[in-house]
């Protein structure tokens, strides 16, 4: 389960058996910790094609050669290739133009050493150095697998740099790497799996449980709503389009429930829940609090299961995170109202309470509110930050599975923080305005982004009504801000520095 831990164990075992010529010693430093954790990584090939895992049986390598999963993946690849071509001429150029806009390239203060979550250092111990071949001492990023480069790219202000070429490699890695392990991940209330890949990468899998177009039952509370794989994927793209970069990369993948989960899992509790449905499809349900029962199975067609795969964040032992309860958390009760629902002056007390009384925390929370209103996610009870960065850092927008549940209706209560505080980052507001002009319409940008996902080959990740809802909700947000500006003076949190906003 613990990637780095297993990794180091494995490497140390390997070291005692060999002369370590093929090893790349790397030290990870977490600046906040007084005792930096030290790990060794195996030297990793740059190409993802020739990665092998010594314990994997040979036939597992060929599982993609047959069956409906590979057919769909072929189709997916063709579609993506076609999309790339047409994208250059039409849709893609709009998206490119959006990301080239100054609002997506605002100058940032240069990152200092302690603005990086992790750091690689080599040549630490001259004693140790003697036992290695000199050539193996390299911190060359080219030798790092995409998941590691993603971890090393996490900074105080964002989870990834949008222009980092590694993002493409990371999503390709998640979409294509052979799955070596699949176990249930504990924590949270619904079924999810932890996948492991060659080169020690991992992903968090959420399976599709209902059809994309099924709208959330109006009589279900938000806390009993199903999680949606397409919401996780769409949320990643939406967050990126808003210029936040606060959600770990997520891709869609068609998984073979038999060969990529049942046959390889070491999780006996999970494998015991597999069965064949009356229609002859492979199904499973696992163990969890909600919807892990024969009545709510995940079923393949006949064994292809749609799923979202999120890149895993660095292990908690290396990069501890802090979980914060949202001041606008819902009551999670069928009968009680939360304080913010009863007190129109609620924000005044939040504004005076740490950490919301300083820095960017309040406007960060408003950014998250905007993301959640757009996708209609009512389930943001907590958010997380990296402990290392203290209070001066971005908020991680994890767990977006309950977004995009209903397109025909908006949920105004999600906007409560914005309405009650009347505060917003200037750059966020300007990007929202940009996404409401016809050239950069949010729904069009989202449609384009989502066609890059492999699962688009199966069906569009968001139906047209969901895309249209984004434009409608964006207009609502802009109206709320306008109303605020008519009543208050200090609505804008100025983060454009010396930039002349009129020129943007
Ligand atoms: N990409 C990720 N990398 C590492 N850890 C993650 C990632 N995504 C989520 N987690 C962790 O796993 C936990 C459970 O994930 P998530 O919240 O998505 O599950 P959930 O079942 O929807 O939870 P809940 O029922 O509380 O809504 C999160 O609290 C978070 O700390
Ligand atoms: Mn959830």
């Amino acid at each position: 389960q613990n990637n780095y831990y297993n990794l180091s164990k494995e490497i140390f075992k390997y070291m005692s058996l060999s002369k370590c010529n093929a090893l790349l010693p790397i030290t990870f430093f977490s600046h906040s910790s007084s005792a930096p954790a030290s790990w060794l990584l195996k030297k990793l090939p740059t190409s993802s094609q020739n990665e092998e895992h010594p314990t994997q049986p040979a036939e597992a390598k060929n599982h993609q050669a047959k069956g409906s999963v590979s057919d769909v993946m072929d189709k997916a690849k063709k579609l993506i290739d076609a999309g790339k071509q047409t994208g250059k001429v039409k849709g893609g150029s709009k998206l490119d133009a959006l990301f080239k806009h100054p609002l997506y390239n605002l100058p940032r203060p240069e990152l200092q050493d302690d603005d990086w979550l992790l750091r690689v250092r080599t040549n630490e111990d001259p004693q140790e150095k003697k036992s290695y071949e000199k050539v193996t001492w390299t911190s060359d990023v080219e030798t790092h697998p995409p998941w590691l480069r993603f971890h090393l790219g996490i900074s105080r202000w964002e989870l990834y740099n949008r222009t980092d070429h590694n993002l493409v490699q990371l999503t390709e890695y998640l979409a294509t790497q052979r799955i070596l392990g699949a176990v249930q991940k504990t924590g949270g209330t619904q079924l999810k799996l932890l996948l492991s890949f060659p080169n020690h990468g991992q992903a968090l899998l959420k399976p599709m449980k209902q059809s994309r177009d099924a709208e959330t039952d109006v009589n279900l509370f938000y806390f009993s709503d199903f999680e949606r794989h397409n919401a996780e994927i769409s949320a990643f793209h939406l967050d990126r389009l808003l210029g936040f970069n606060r959600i770990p990369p997520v891709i869609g993948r068609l998984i073979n429930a038999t060969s990529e989960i049942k046959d390889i899992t070491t999780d006996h509790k999970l494998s015991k829940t597999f069965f064949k449905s009356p229609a002859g499809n492979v199904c499973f349900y696992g163990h969890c609090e909600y919807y892990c029962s024969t009545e709510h199975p995940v079923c393949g067609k006949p064994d292809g299961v749609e799923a979202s795969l999120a890149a895993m964040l660095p292990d908690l032992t290396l990069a501890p995170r802090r979980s914060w309860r949202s001041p606008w958390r819902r009551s999670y009760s069928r009968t009680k109202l939360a304080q913010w629902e009863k007190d129109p002056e609620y924000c005044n007390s939040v504004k005076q309470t740490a950490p919301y009384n300083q820095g960017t925390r309040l406007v960060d929370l408003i950014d998250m509110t905007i993301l959640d209103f757009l996708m209609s996610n009512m389930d943001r009870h907590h958010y997380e930050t990296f402990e290392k960065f203290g209070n001066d850092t971005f908020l991680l927008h994890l767990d977006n599975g309950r977004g995009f549940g209903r397109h025909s209706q908006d949920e105004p209560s999600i906007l409560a923080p914005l309405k009650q505080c009347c505060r917003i980052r200037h750059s966020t507001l300007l990007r929202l305005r940009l996404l409401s002009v016809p050239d950069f319409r949010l729904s069009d940008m989202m449609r384009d982004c989502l066609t890059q996902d492999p699962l688009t080959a199966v069906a569009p990740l968001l139906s047209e009504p969901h895309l249209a809802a984004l434009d409608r909700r964006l207009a609502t947000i802009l109206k709320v801000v306008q109303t605020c500006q008519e009543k208050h003076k200090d609505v804008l949190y100025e983060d454009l520095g010396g930039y002349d906003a009129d020129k943007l």
Side-chain angles (χ1 to χ4, degrees):
Q1 304 259 336
N2 182 331
N3 185 27
Y4 293 98
Y5 179 68
N6 284 341
L7 185 55
S8 65
K9 265 202 319 205
E10 192 169 310
I11 301 306
F12 284 124
K13 202 167 71 196
Y14 183 54
M15 275 173 70
S16 60
L17 295 172
S18 74
K19 287 217 171 107
C20 320
N21 287 350
L23 294 180
L24 167 69
I26 291 178
T27 312
F28 282 96
F29 280 88
S30 172
H31 294 261
S32 65
S33 125
S34 51
S38 172
W39 313 94
L40 293 172
L41 291 181
K42 209 185 273 188
K43 184 161 170 127
L44 304 154
T46 40
S47 154
S48 58
Q49 301 307 312
N50 50 15
E51 289 154 2
E52 282 308 323
H53 194 272
T55 59
Q56 194 64 14
E59 71 269 13
K61 284 179 240 157
N62 301 323
H63 69 259
Q64 286 208 335
K66 51 187 181 288
S68 58
V69 176
S70 65
D71 290 349
V72 177
M73 290 317 277
D74 279 353
K75 199 174 142 203
K77 197 173 173 310
K78 276 182 203 140
L79 230 135
I80 293 165
D81 290 346
K84 275 181 193 159
Q85 279 156 25
T86 53
K88 290 227 167 60
V89 196
K90 270 169 64 200
S93 65
K94 270 192 181 180
L95 202 54
D96 288 349
L98 178 79
F99 284 138
K100 277 191 191 129
H101 193 280
L103 277 170
Y104 287 82
N105 300 280
L106 291 169
R108 280 255 175 90
E110 208 182 311
L111 293 171
Q112 304 301 308
D113 268 2
D114 63 353
D115 292 330
W116 297 101
L117 186 65
L118 301 163
R119 194 159 57 113
V120 172
R121 209 161 87 186
T122 58
N123 279 3
E124 227 233 325
D125 183 354
Q127 274 306 101
E128 213 179 350
K129 195 178 168 186
K130 283 182 202 141
S131 59
Y132 294 94
E133 298 253 333
K134 214 169 182 181
V135 283
T136 65
W137 280 90
T138 167
S139 58
D140 186 357
V141 279
E142 288 305 308
T143 62
H144 301 167
W147 67 264
L148 179 55
R149 271 184 265 169
F150 163 54
H151 288 182
L152 293 172
I154 301 174
S155 75
R156 181 184 290 278
W157 302 116
E158 56 185 7
L159 203 45
Y160 56 86
N161 180 324
R162 197 196 61 246
T163 61
D164 184 351
H165 189 65
N166 182 51
L167 274 187
V168 180
Q169 285 169 10
L170 179 66
T171 48
E172 216 167 282
Y173 178 91
L174 293 173
T176 57
Q177 280 292 308
R178 195 150 50 85
I179 297 165
L180 300 180
V183 295
Q184 256 203 257
K185 186 182 182 298
T186 51
T189 51
Q190 298 192 26
L191 177 71
K192 49 197 164 311
L193 303 179
L194 185 65
L195 301 185
S196 36
F197 302 114
N199 274 348
H200 313 281
Q202 290 184 318
L204 186 67
L205 176 150
K206 291 195 181 183
M208 169 162 147
K209 294 211 80 159
Q210 56 185 2
S211 83
R212 281 185 181 73
D213 295 323
E215 282 213 289
T216 300
D217 184 331
V218 288
N219 293 317
L220 266 192
F221 280 97
Y222 46 88
F223 49 80
S224 15
D225 185 15
F226 284 114
E227 301 242 303
R228 279 166 289 274
H229 75 309
N230 62 321
E232 291 282 356
I233 300 163
S234 307
F236 161 65
H237 290 282
L238 180 58
D239 173 88
R240 208 166 65 101
L241 276 176
L242 294 173
F244 297 155
N245 308 336
R246 299 168 199 166
I247 298 183
V250 186
I251 60 113
R253 180 164 169 174
L254 200 67
I255 301 283
N256 186 314
T258 307
S259 65
E260 294 181 305
I261 304 178
K262 184 168 174 266
D263 292 351
I264 57 149
T265 188
T266 51
D267 187 336
H268 297 299
K269 275 175 98 180
L270 173 67
S271 61
K272 273 195 199 145
T273 68
F274 275 80
F275 64 94
K276 212 162 219 168
S277 76
N281 294 322
V282 177
C283 307
F284 65 100
Y285 53 83
H287 293 274
C288 63
E289 245 173 275
Y290 291 0
Y291 305 122
C292 280
S293 66
T294 327
E295 295 80 27
H296 300 100
V298 175
C299 290
K301 276 183 197 167
D303 44 21
V305 172
E306 282 190 48
S308 64
L309 269 63
M312 286 297 281
L313 295 171
D315 194 88
L316 288 170
T317 55
L318 207 59
R321 303 194 294 271
R322 183 157 174 193
S323 179
W324 304 79
R325 171 190 272 245
S326 165
W328 278 271
R329 183 184 194 264
R330 285 166 203 279
S331 71
Y332 288 82
S333 147
R334 279 165 300 190
T335 50
K336 276 188 222 139
L337 285 182
Q339 191 58 31
W340 61 266
E341 291 174 279
K342 296 181 279 191
D343 176 8
E345 299 299 306
Y346 184 74
C347 186
N348 287 337
S349 55
V350 176
K351 275 181 178 169
Q352 285 159 30
T353 314
Y356 303 97
N357 59 349
Q358 262 189 15
T360 58
R361 186 60 65 95
L362 186 67
V363 285
D364 283 334
L365 194 113
I366 305 281
D367 280 351
M368 189 165 70
T369 294
I370 287 163
L371 173 79
D372 284 338
F373 178 72
L374 288 171
M375 61 181 174
S376 214
N377 175 21
M378 299 170 80
D379 192 33
R380 189 74 65 189
H381 41 90
H382 285 79
Y383 61 84
E384 296 182 30
T385 57
F386 287 109
E387 219 168 81
K388 174 183 171 175
F389 298 132
N391 287 343
D392 293 324
T393 184
F394 71 92
L395 314 185
L396 281 159
H397 302 156
L398 300 177
D399 188 12
N400 302 292
R402 292 212 174 103
F404 298 101
R406 217 174 279 151
H407 52 72
S408 55
Q409 219 175 301
D410 302 341
E411 185 51 55
S413 65
I414 303 174
L415 274 186
L418 176 66
K419 279 189 208 146
Q420 296 181 350
C421 301
C422 271
R423 194 100 170 114
I424 185 173
R425 263 202 176 87
H426 199 179
S427 62
T428 301
L429 177 63
L430 293 180
R431 279 196 299 270
L432 291 175
R433 285 204 188 128
L434 191 63
L435 290 165
S436 69
V437 304
D439 257 1
F440 297 119
R441 211 190 310 271
L442 180 57
S443 56
D444 294 336
M445 298 296 109
M446 269 298 272
R447 196 185 295 102
D448 282 354
C449 283
L450 291 173
T451 55
Q452 295 165 9
D453 189 276
L455 280 185
T456 296
V458 183
L461 279 156
L462 286 181
S463 61
E464 284 301 317
H466 274 295
L467 291 171
L470 285 172
D471 295 329
R472 183 180 71 224
R473 291 168 188 160
L474 178 56
T476 303
I477 296 169
L478 292 176
K479 258 187 233 131
V480 169
V481 176
Q482 200 186 335
T483 309
C484 280
Q485 286 180 309
E486 284 160 10
K487 290 189 199 148
H488 303 273
K489 274 209 170 100
D490 57 346
V491 174
L492 297 185
Y493 175 89
E494 204 44 74
D495 65 340
L496 294 172
Y499 252 60
D500 183 353
D502 293 334
K503 283 197 189 137
L504 292 173

